[in-house]
Structure formats: C-alpha cells, structure tokens
Amino acid sequence: MASTVATLPPPEDRPVRVYADGIYDLFHFGHARSLEQAKKSFSNTYLLVGCCSDAVTYKYKGKTVMTEDERYESLRHCKWVDEVIPDAPWVCNQEFLDKHNIDYVAHDSLPYADTSGAANDVYEFVKSIGKFKETKRTEGISTSDLIMRIVKDYNQYVLRNLDRGYSRKDLGVSYVKEKRLRVNRRLKTLQEKVKEQQEKIQIAAKNAGMHRNEWVENADRWVAGFLEMFEEGCHKMGTAIRDRIQERLIGQQSKDDKDDDDDEEYYYDEDDSSDEDYFEEYFVDDELNPHNNEKDMNKK
C-alpha cells in the first residue's frame, strides 16, 4: 500500500542524502533489500545507515544475538551503504537531521513505538515535516523469524555445536541434558533405520507377491516350454550319437571288405601272431578278448 505522507522535493544540485536506521541483528537479505530500496529512491543517492547500540537496543527492544560492533561491521560490507552511523538514536529529531544533513528518512510504513511509552510512532516527526521515504518489507524473512527457527529446533542446534567441538559449558547445557540429547538422537537414528528396513521389506513383499502371481499365471506355459526344449535337445543328442556310431561302423565295414579283396587268406595265415593281432585290434578291453581267455585256460 503506497504511503499517503507528503514529502518535500529533493535537492537537485547535489546527491540526495537518505538516512535509514535499525538494529540489523543477524543481518539478512531482508535488510539488504530495504537498504537497496533506500539507495535507489533517487537517481543520485548518498545512503547513510544508523545502527543502534547494544545499550539502547536492550532497553527498548531486547537482547541481540550479535554485538553492536558486529552489526556495524555487517552494514559496512553491504554494497548499498555509503556510510554507517554507529550508536544511532532510537528516535530521529531535528538536531540529528541537521547534524548529518539528512534529506529523507527511509523505512517501512509500519508504526514503531518511540521512547515515550505511549505507543507513539518513532517516525511521526519526520513524517510530519515531509521527510519520510517509505520502503517495503520482505515477507518471510526477519531477525525474529530466524531466532524462532533456532529456538524451535534448539536441541538439534545444541547437538550440532557439541559435534563441532563446543563443550556443554560453552552452550550452557547441564551434564544430564547433554546425555539425554545424545541418547534421544541415537534412538531417533535407530527408529529411522528400522523404518527404512520396514519399507524395504514391504517393497520386497510386494514384489514377491507380484512375481508369485506372474508365476502362477504362466507356470503351465513355462513348464511346457521347458519340456519341449528338453525333449528336442534329447532328440538331437540321440540322433547325433546314432549317426556317429553308424559312421564308425560303416567305416570299419569298408575297411574289412577291402582287406578281404586284397588277401583272401588273411584270416587263415599260419602265422600265430595274426589271430592275436586281429583280436587286439577289435577288442580294446583285454577281458573281452577271446584270445586272451584262451591263453588263460591253457595256463590253468
């Protein structure tokens, strides 16, 4: 929503001096964006940023995470900032504006309580004299939000820092608290592992059920296919063995016929060694050789 506060025209013969102030604790991109808007309020802007001290902040707002020096230094490293004013006042007055030659004060339009305790707006004065320049807040990010995240997950951050070498005394944690946090973490890790294994078992059981259904539906077809392949393989093997035996027999028969044609007296040779050679040729096993059997009988 656009601001309805009237503003004075800017100077044209020099850079416009715009002032923004705040606590800037845990400096984040929401802060940087507001300062960017202030810097770009005019084509030629000199941005001064005031940062309240620890004492003033603790009094009117509360404890900060970062010290005042850390907050000042964070602002100095923001590219939109031309000058940092330490120990800035909680409420801007005419004296402060004149001291720093401030043309406009930039801030979002939400009312902030002043030091009176009457819920008056901190920027009421600069608005009344036409020197207020409105900026927009960045939704979803603030110092309070960041602190809330840490508080919400406090135990996890305690364990995180214990793992990184901080002692329980550094973190303000008792001995019992430390042990309880470590035990709870182990139990949580164990629960996660058990859950992971349960999920794996469920997936395996589901897959097994799917495979079982597939087997039942296709068992007859698979068995018939296997038997057909087995029968075909046995038939091919038997045919190959039979053909091989026939080839050997035919080859042997051809050799015998040739020997008969060359020498009809081959089997009736008076040489005693001819019978022995004949039987040794066709009977590889000595026990089946009739010639050897005859020798054994003679020995007896």
Side-chain angles (χ1 to χ4, degrees):
M1 183 176 180
S3 174
T4 59
V5 178
T7 58
L8 296 174
E12 297 179 356
D13 58 343
R14 61 175 174 80
V16 180
R17 294 174 67 84
V18 177
Y19 174 77
D21 63 354
I23 309 302
Y24 301 108
D25 192 22
L26 298 177
F27 190 84
H28 51 74
F29 69 88
H31 292 140
R33 284 183 177 178
S34 67
L35 297 176
E36 179 185 7
Q37 294 175 58
K39 177 69 174 178
K40 295 180 178 179
S41 298
F42 304 95
S43 59
N44 187 11
T45 301
Y46 185 85
L47 180 61
L48 303 94
V49 180
C51 187
C52 299
S53 66
D54 288 345
V56 172
T57 304
Y58 293 173
K59 182 177 180 180
Y60 295 113
K61 190 170 185 177
K63 182 175 176 58
T64 60
V65 177
M66 301 171 68
T67 67
E68 58 185 36
D69 291 332
E70 292 170 338
R71 293 184 283 116
Y72 300 156
E73 193 64 20
S74 297
L75 286 167
R76 293 189 182 101
H77 285 79
C78 178
K79 70 176 185 177
W80 308 114
V81 178
D82 296 304
E83 181 181 340
V84 175
I85 300 177
D87 194 15
W90 192 257
V91 180
C92 293
N93 54 29
Q94 189 63 52
E95 180 183 359
F96 182 80
L97 298 179
D98 293 340
K99 178 181 178 181
H100 296 282
N101 195 23
I102 295 170
D103 297 310
Y104 298 96
V105 176
H107 206 277
D108 62 76
S109 60
L110 294 178
Y112 287 81
D114 62 10
T115 59
S116 65
N120 295 325
D121 187 4
V122 169
Y123 301 102
E124 183 178 353
F125 170 70
V126 293
K127 289 177 181 178
S128 67
I129 63 175
K131 289 192 173 185
F132 184 78
K133 196 70 176 176
E134 182 184 352
T135 59
K136 302 294 182 182
R137 292 177 64 88
T138 300
E139 297 297 330
I141 184 68
S142 69
T143 300
S144 297
D145 289 340
L146 296 177
I147 294 174
M148 182 188 67
R149 296 179 197 177
I150 296 172
V151 172
K152 181 181 178 182
D153 297 323
Y154 166 76
N155 289 340
Q156 294 184 32
Y157 287 111
V158 170
L159 287 170
R160 174 184 182 274
N161 280 11
L162 287 172
D163 291 340
R164 281 160 177 75
Y166 290 89
S167 67
R168 62 179 181 82
K169 293 183 179 180
D170 294 333
L171 301 173
V173 176
S174 67
Y175 174 83
V176 175
K177 175 74 172 179
E178 178 191 358
K179 297 303 179 185
R180 183 166 64 247
L181 290 175
R182 293 188 183 278
V183 169
N184 289 340
R185 182 171 62 177
R186 293 191 188 99
L187 291 175
K188 184 177 179 180
T189 301
L190 180 60
Q191 289 174 349
E192 292 174 351
K193 290 183 178 180
V194 170
K195 183 178 179 180
E196 181 181 353
Q197 293 300 322
Q198 288 176 339
E199 292 175 352
K200 290 181 178 180
I201 292 173
Q202 290 175 356
I203 294 173
K206 183 178 179 180
N207 292 336
M210 294 174 60
H211 294 322
R212 178 182 178 279
N213 294 335
E214 183 180 356
W215 166 257
V216 171
E217 293 174 0
N218 299 283
D220 293 341
R221 180 171 57 84
W222 289 343
V223 171
F226 171 77
L227 293 176
E228 182 179 351
M229 293 175 60
F230 182 78
E231 183 179 357
E232 182 180 356
C234 291
H235 176 72
K236 290 181 178 179
M237 184 183 296
T239 302
I241 294 173
R242 185 174 60 253
D243 293 343
R244 187 69 179 273
I245 293 174
Q246 289 179 351
E247 290 176 1
R248 298 291 290 270
L249 291 176
I250 293 173
Q252 188 63 49
Q253 183 64 39
S254 299
K255 182 179 179 181
D256 292 343
D257 293 343
K258 184 177 179 181
D259 291 341
D260 290 341
D261 293 339
D262 292 342
D263 187 5
E264 294 181 357
E265 301 297 329
Y266 176 79
Y267 296 105
Y268 303 98
D269 197 323
E270 295 180 357
D271 188 355
D272 293 338
S273 62
S274 60
D275 290 340
E276 182 177 354
D277 293 339
Y278 173 80
F279 286 114
E280 287 180 356
E281 180 179 357
Y282 289 98
F283 295 95
V284 178
D285 192 340
D286 292 340
E287 294 181 358
L288 299 177
N289 191 330
H291 184 72
N292 290 339
N293 292 336
E294 183 179 352
K295 289 181 178 181
D296 292 338
M297 292 293 294
N298 292 333
K299 288 181 180 179
K300 293 179 179 181

